[in-house]
Amino acid sequence: MKVYLTLLVVSALVTYVATPAMRHLAIRLGAVTAVRARDVHVVPTARLGGVAIFLGLAAGLLLASTIPFLSGVFEVSNSAWAVMAGAGLVCAVGVVDDVWDLDWMAKLAGQILAALLMAWGGVQLVALPIGGRTIGDSYLSLIATVVIVVVAINAVNFVDGLDGLAAGLVAIGGVAFMVYTYALARDASPGDYSSLATLLAAVMVGACLGFLPHNVHPARIFMGDSGSMVLGLAFAAASITVTGQIDPEVVSQRAQIPAFLPILLPLAVVAIPLLDMGLAFLRRLGKGQSPFQPDTHHLHHRLLRFGHSHRWAVAVLWLWTFVFSFSAASVVVVRLRYAALMLAIGLVTAAAITFSPGLRRFFGRAWRRMGAAAAPVRKITPEGRHQEQDTEREAQRGG
């Protein structure tokens, strides 16, 4: 685990250092998100933070290729490089969109091409963890891979609507996924438990943690489509890798891992983004609109209208992701009935905090005091100047 944690830290540092440079570049290129009716930010904010996220991922993978412990990951196949190539492609598409605004069909074409590139490089769903079944048809395998990658990319993209939300959700879910894949690899291959899935999760979490200090409310920079698509693709690649390459039947019975968990855990990690995307698609299709038509009815918009402050709405969605992902991952260390109990307690707690007006106000005030004590609230102008704001006024405005 020390190797993976080292790579996580390296990825975080590279992303943290690269983000301010990308902010200045975004301002020079005009890649700035204007204030629109459906947005919750109040000043134009630079994009292109996703390039820094990609650089963090790439740095982590490049360093990993030089570490003897992970040599098997890079010698057996070119999957790691295929993931980097796919991430680079969607990042490039996202940069073009952040600067010049592509239409949704062009972005979708880029996502499909990136998924095909990864599949060609070996990241392809060829087996299901239920009874060791194989898909059996190369075309079906390819289609399944493309669908999973595109859905994951757009799920993260759809949920990226509040400062720090997408990066935090992916970081929380990524930690749970990293712990799960590491434990699974150790039980399945005691002699060599290096794992591409764990490696991808580690550098992905590191990139998110390195980006978050610049992206928490009020954000100095947005990740943009260049970041949300990279994170979605990286998580999809990690999920496909662990689903198709580890047979749960050889895992220690002590852990009592259900055969379907390699499929369940990725779904649990992205449960909130998938729910948000599914509701958006149904809502827009019901109105006769394009499913990619933006609106102000996402989960985070609803939380704001319900009375949550910006920061606390983000924290609430982080909490739900934590409950789903860590409850699923806990099956590798505790019995199934205890994991189910943890899930039930977590759901009740999360629901109480989300929907109880009294708890909402109590935790909201506590959260804002913590944020005000940790750092002064700053407002970012299009020119990049930082202006101090009255933290008490910000707290009152947040609800």
Coordinates of all heavy atoms in Angstrom, one line a residue, residues 164-204:
G164 N -16.1 22.1 -6.1 CA -15.6 20.9 -5.3 C -16.4 19.7 -5.4 O -16.0 18.7 -4.8
L165 N -17.6 19.7 -6.0 CA -18.5 18.6 -5.9 C -17.9 17.3 -6.6 O -17.8 16.3 -6.1 CB -19.8 18.9 -6.5 CG -20.9 17.8 -6.5 CD1 -21.1 17.2 -5.1 CD2 -22.2 18.3 -7.0
A166 N -17.6 17.5 -7.9 CA -17.2 16.3 -8.7 C -15.9 15.8 -8.2 O -15.7 14.6 -8.0 CB -17.1 16.7 -10.2
A167 N -14.9 16.7 -7.9 CA -13.6 16.2 -7.5 C -13.7 15.5 -6.1 O -13.1 14.5 -5.9 CB -12.6 17.4 -7.4
G168 N -14.6 16.0 -5.2 CA -14.8 15.4 -4.0 C -15.5 14.0 -4.1 O -15.1 13.0 -3.4
L169 N -16.5 13.9 -4.9 CA -17.2 12.6 -5.1 C -16.2 11.6 -5.6 O -16.2 10.4 -5.1 CB -18.4 12.8 -6.0 CG -19.6 13.6 -5.5 CD1 -20.7 13.7 -6.6 CD2 -20.1 13.1 -4.2
V170 N -15.5 11.9 -6.6 CA -14.6 11.0 -7.2 C -13.5 10.6 -6.3 O -13.1 9.4 -6.2 CB -13.9 11.5 -8.5 CG1 -12.9 10.6 -9.1 CG2 -15.0 11.8 -9.6
A171 N -13.0 11.5 -5.5 CA -11.9 11.2 -4.5 C -12.5 10.3 -3.4 O -11.8 9.3 -3.1 CB -11.4 12.5 -3.8
I172 N -13.7 10.5 -2.9 CA -14.2 9.6 -1.9 C -14.5 8.3 -2.4 O -14.1 7.2 -1.8 CB -15.5 10.3 -1.3 CG1 -15.2 11.5 -0.5 CG2 -16.3 9.3 -0.4 CD1 -16.5 12.4 -0.2
G173 N -15.1 8.2 -3.6 CA -15.4 6.9 -4.2 C -14.1 6.2 -4.6 O -14.0 5.0 -4.5
G174 N -13.1 7.0 -5.0 CA -11.9 6.4 -5.4 C -11.1 5.8 -4.3 O -10.5 4.7 -4.5
V175 N -11.2 6.4 -3.1 CA -10.5 5.8 -1.9 C -11.1 4.4 -1.6 O -10.4 3.5 -1.3 CB -10.6 6.7 -0.7 CG1 -10.1 6.0 0.5 CG2 -9.7 8.0 -1.0
A176 N -12.5 4.4 -1.6 CA -13.1 3.1 -1.3 C -12.8 2.1 -2.3 O -12.5 0.9 -2.0 CB -14.7 3.4 -1.3
F177 N -12.8 2.5 -3.6 CA -12.4 1.5 -4.7 C -11.0 1.1 -4.6 O -10.7 -0.1 -4.8 CB -12.7 2.2 -6.0 CG -12.7 1.2 -7.2 CD1 -13.8 0.4 -7.3 CD2 -11.7 1.2 -8.1 CE1 -13.9 -0.5 -8.4 CE2 -11.7 0.3 -9.1 CZ -12.8 -0.6 -9.3
M178 N -10.1 2.0 -4.2 CA -8.7 1.6 -4.0 C -8.5 0.6 -2.9 O -7.7 -0.4 -3.1 CB -7.8 2.8 -3.8 CG -6.3 2.6 -3.6 SD -5.4 4.1 -3.4 CE -5.9 4.7 -1.8
V179 N -9.1 0.8 -1.8 CA -9.0 -0.1 -0.7 C -9.6 -1.5 -1.1 O -9.0 -2.6 -0.8 CB -9.8 0.4 0.5 CG1 -9.9 -0.6 1.6 CG2 -9.1 1.7 1.1
Y180 N -10.7 -1.5 -1.8 CA -11.4 -2.7 -2.2 C -10.5 -3.5 -3.2 O -10.2 -4.7 -3.0 CB -12.7 -2.4 -2.8 CG -13.3 -3.6 -3.6 CD1 -13.8 -4.7 -3.0 CD2 -13.2 -3.6 -5.0 CE1 -14.3 -5.8 -3.7 CE2 -13.7 -4.7 -5.7 CZ -14.2 -5.8 -5.1 OH -14.7 -6.8 -5.8
T181 N -10.0 -2.9 -4.2 CA -9.2 -3.6 -5.2 C -7.9 -4.0 -4.6 O -7.4 -5.1 -5.0 CB -8.9 -2.7 -6.4 OG1 -8.3 -1.4 -6.0 CG2 -10.2 -2.3 -7.2
Y182 N -7.3 -3.3 -3.7 CA -6.0 -3.7 -3.0 C -6.3 -5.0 -2.2 O -5.5 -6.0 -2.3 CB -5.5 -2.6 -2.2 CG -4.2 -2.9 -1.4 CD1 -3.0 -2.9 -2.1 CD2 -4.2 -3.3 -0.1 CE1 -1.8 -3.2 -1.5 CE2 -3.0 -3.6 0.6 CZ -1.8 -3.6 -0.1 OH -0.7 -3.9 0.5
A183 N -7.3 -5.0 -1.4 CA -7.7 -6.2 -0.6 C -8.0 -7.4 -1.5 O -7.6 -8.5 -1.2 CB -8.8 -5.9 0.3
L184 N -8.7 -7.1 -2.6 CA -9.1 -8.2 -3.5 C -7.9 -8.8 -4.2 O -7.8 -10.0 -4.3 CB -10.1 -7.7 -4.5 CG -10.9 -8.7 -5.3 CD1 -11.7 -9.6 -4.4 CD2 -11.8 -8.0 -6.3
A185 N -7.0 -7.9 -4.6 CA -5.7 -8.4 -5.3 C -4.9 -9.2 -4.3 O -4.3 -10.2 -4.7 CB -5.0 -7.2 -5.9
R186 N -4.8 -8.8 -3.1 CA -4.0 -9.5 -2.1 C -4.5 -10.9 -1.8 O -3.8 -11.9 -1.7 CB -3.9 -8.7 -0.8 CG -3.1 -7.5 -0.9 CD -2.7 -6.9 0.5 NE -1.8 -7.9 1.2 CZ -1.2 -7.6 2.4 NH1 -1.3 -6.4 2.9 NH2 -0.4 -8.5 2.9
D187 N -5.8 -11.0 -1.8 CA -6.4 -12.3 -1.5 C -6.4 -13.2 -2.8 O -6.2 -14.4 -2.7 CB -7.9 -12.2 -1.1 CG -8.0 -11.7 0.4 OD1 -7.0 -11.9 1.1 OD2 -9.1 -11.2 0.8
A188 N -6.5 -12.6 -3.9 CA -6.5 -13.4 -5.2 C -5.1 -13.8 -5.6 O -5.0 -14.9 -6.2 CB -7.2 -12.6 -6.3
S189 N -4.1 -12.9 -5.4 CA -2.8 -13.2 -5.8 C -1.8 -12.9 -4.7 O -1.1 -11.8 -4.7 CB -2.4 -12.4 -7.1 OG -3.4 -12.6 -8.1
P190 N -1.7 -13.8 -3.7 CA -0.8 -13.4 -2.5 C 0.7 -13.2 -2.9 O 1.3 -12.4 -2.3 CB -0.9 -14.7 -1.7 CG -2.2 -15.3 -2.1 CD -2.3 -15.0 -3.5
G191 N 1.2 -13.8 -4.0 CA 2.5 -13.6 -4.4 C 2.8 -12.3 -5.1 O 3.9 -11.7 -5.0
D192 N 1.8 -11.8 -5.8 CA 2.0 -10.6 -6.6 C 0.7 -9.8 -6.6 O -0.2 -10.2 -7.4 CB 2.5 -10.9 -8.0 CG 2.6 -9.6 -8.8 OD1 2.7 -8.5 -8.3 OD2 2.7 -9.7 -10.1
Y193 N 0.5 -8.9 -5.7 CA -0.8 -8.2 -5.7 C -0.7 -6.8 -6.2 O -1.5 -5.9 -5.8 CB -1.3 -8.1 -4.2 CG -0.3 -7.8 -3.2 CD1 0.0 -6.5 -2.8 CD2 0.4 -8.8 -2.5 CE1 0.9 -6.1 -1.9 CE2 1.3 -8.5 -1.5 CZ 1.6 -7.1 -1.2 OH 2.5 -6.8 -0.2
S194 N 0.2 -6.6 -7.2 CA 0.1 -5.3 -8.0 C -1.1 -5.4 -8.8 O -1.5 -6.4 -9.4 CB 1.4 -5.2 -8.8 OG 1.5 -6.3 -9.7
S195 N -1.7 -4.2 -9.0 CA -3.0 -4.2 -9.7 C -3.1 -2.8 -10.4 O -2.9 -1.8 -9.9 CB -4.1 -4.3 -8.7 OG -5.4 -3.9 -9.2
L196 N -3.5 -2.9 -11.7 CA -3.7 -1.7 -12.5 C -4.9 -1.0 -12.0 O -4.9 0.3 -11.9 CB -3.9 -2.1 -14.0 CG -4.3 -0.9 -14.9 CD1 -3.2 0.1 -14.9 CD2 -4.5 -1.4 -16.3
A197 N -5.9 -1.7 -11.5 CA -7.1 -1.0 -11.0 C -6.8 -0.1 -9.7 O -7.2 1.0 -9.6 CB -8.2 -2.0 -10.6
T198 N -6.0 -0.7 -8.8 CA -5.6 0.0 -7.6 C -4.7 1.2 -8.0 O -4.8 2.3 -7.4 CB -4.8 -0.9 -6.7 OG1 -5.6 -2.1 -6.4 CG2 -4.6 -0.2 -5.3
L199 N -3.8 1.0 -9.0 CA -2.9 2.1 -9.5 C -3.7 3.2 -10.0 O -3.5 4.4 -9.7 CB -2.0 1.5 -10.5 CG -1.1 2.5 -11.3 CD1 -0.3 3.4 -10.4 CD2 -0.3 1.8 -12.4
L200 N -4.7 2.9 -10.9 CA -5.5 4.0 -11.5 C -6.3 4.7 -10.4 O -6.5 5.9 -10.5 CB -6.5 3.4 -12.5 CG -5.8 2.8 -13.8 CD1 -6.9 2.1 -14.7 CD2 -5.2 4.0 -14.6
A201 N -6.9 4.0 -9.4 CA -7.6 4.6 -8.4 C -6.7 5.5 -7.6 O -7.1 6.6 -7.2 CB -8.3 3.5 -7.5
A202 N -5.5 5.1 -7.3 CA -4.6 5.9 -6.5 C -4.2 7.2 -7.1 O -4.3 8.3 -6.5 CB -3.3 5.1 -6.2
V203 N -3.8 7.2 -8.4 CA -3.5 8.4 -9.1 C -4.7 9.3 -9.4 O -4.6 10.5 -9.4 CB -2.7 8.1 -10.4 CG1 -1.4 7.4 -10.1 CG2 -3.6 7.3 -11.4
M204 N -5.9 8.7 -9.5 CA -7.1 9.5 -9.7 C -7.5 10.2 -8.5 O -7.8 11.4 -8.5 CB -8.2 8.5 -10.1 CG -9.6 9.2 -10.3 SD -10.8 8.0 -10.8 CE -10.9 7.0 -9.4

